Amino acid sequence: VGDTKECFFIAGLLLTQNSTAVSVVLMGDLRKVGDTKEYEDVTWEDQQKINRFSTLNNRQDEIRARLKDKREILANADDAQSELIIAEDDEDTVYFRIGESFVKISKDEADERLGELASKTTAEIEKLNHELSVIDTESTGLKVALKAKFGSSINLEA
């Protein structure tokens, strides 16, 4: 192709370094002209693995976001319990938020409710961490299998 140094196939067009279309070629990927590397065909099973990896990757993102929220709730509950301890002793009741309303309850009941919230949230965090671990194991297996077949021609990074 003339005296240009590099040529590329992009979206079906053979392009030279000066971006002049030389001829139309039915190609779907980007490769250097003269590249003799064999490209693996993507089978139906491979596509299912890729789809599963993508689904797991999206699920990991959702779980990480939920974990962040749960950890924030747990930290707030711990802070509220600490504030109850150092609150003025002359008041036996506090305002406790339930939904969008504040209800006046005793300090002991508030402490009990905060303890239940912390316990429940801790259990949810443990469950989400376990689910994340299971997903990570499966996605790692899929990544190894796909990288073994496609090498650097597949990008499985999040």
Side-chain angles (χ1 to χ4, degrees), residues 25-156:
V25 182
L26 296 175
M27 300 297 267
D29 56 349
L30 169 68
R31 26 180 127 157
K32 233 179 182 178
V33 173
D35 189 1
T36 58
K37 181 178 177 189
E38 290 294 320
Y39 290 91
E40 292 290 331
D41 289 331
V42 178
T43 64
W44 186 83
E45 290 84 12
D46 295 333
Q47 188 61 52
Q48 294 305 313
K49 288 179 184 177
I50 293 167
N51 293 347
R52 180 68 181 152
F53 181 85
S54 177
T55 300
L56 292 173
N57 194 39
N58 289 337
R59 182 70 181 132
Q60 282 178 321
D61 292 342
E62 292 170 5
I63 291 173
R64 287 185 183 113
R66 288 182 61 201
L67 275 169
K68 181 181 174 189
D69 292 342
K70 295 295 180 185
R71 288 182 179 126
E72 188 175 315
I73 290 170
L74 183 60
N76 289 341
D78 288 342
D79 289 346
Q81 278 185 309
S82 298
E83 288 296 322
L84 274 178
I85 292 170
I86 60 174
E88 294 181 23
D89 290 330
D90 58 332
E91 290 189 35
D92 292 332
T93 59
V94 293
Y95 286 98
F96 193 84
R97 182 177 174 185
I98 300 176
E100 293 185 18
S101 302
F102 289 90
V103 179
K104 198 170 193 177
I105 59 175
S106 71
K107 284 184 179 181
D108 293 335
E109 185 178 351
D111 189 46
E112 184 179 319
R113 286 182 183 224
L114 288 170
E116 290 171 4
L117 176 64
S119 301
K120 179 182 164 191
T121 305
T122 301
E124 290 172 355
I125 288 172
E126 288 173 5
K127 181 182 173 189
L128 289 171
N129 278 328
H130 175 71
E131 187 177 350
L132 192 60
S133 174
V134 169
I135 288 172
D136 188 46
T137 301
E138 184 179 352
S139 65
T140 300
L142 288 169
K143 187 175 185 177
V144 167
L146 291 167
K147 282 288 190 180
K149 181 169 183 178
F150 297 106
S152 63
S153 65
I154 189 167
N155 182 10
L156 298 173

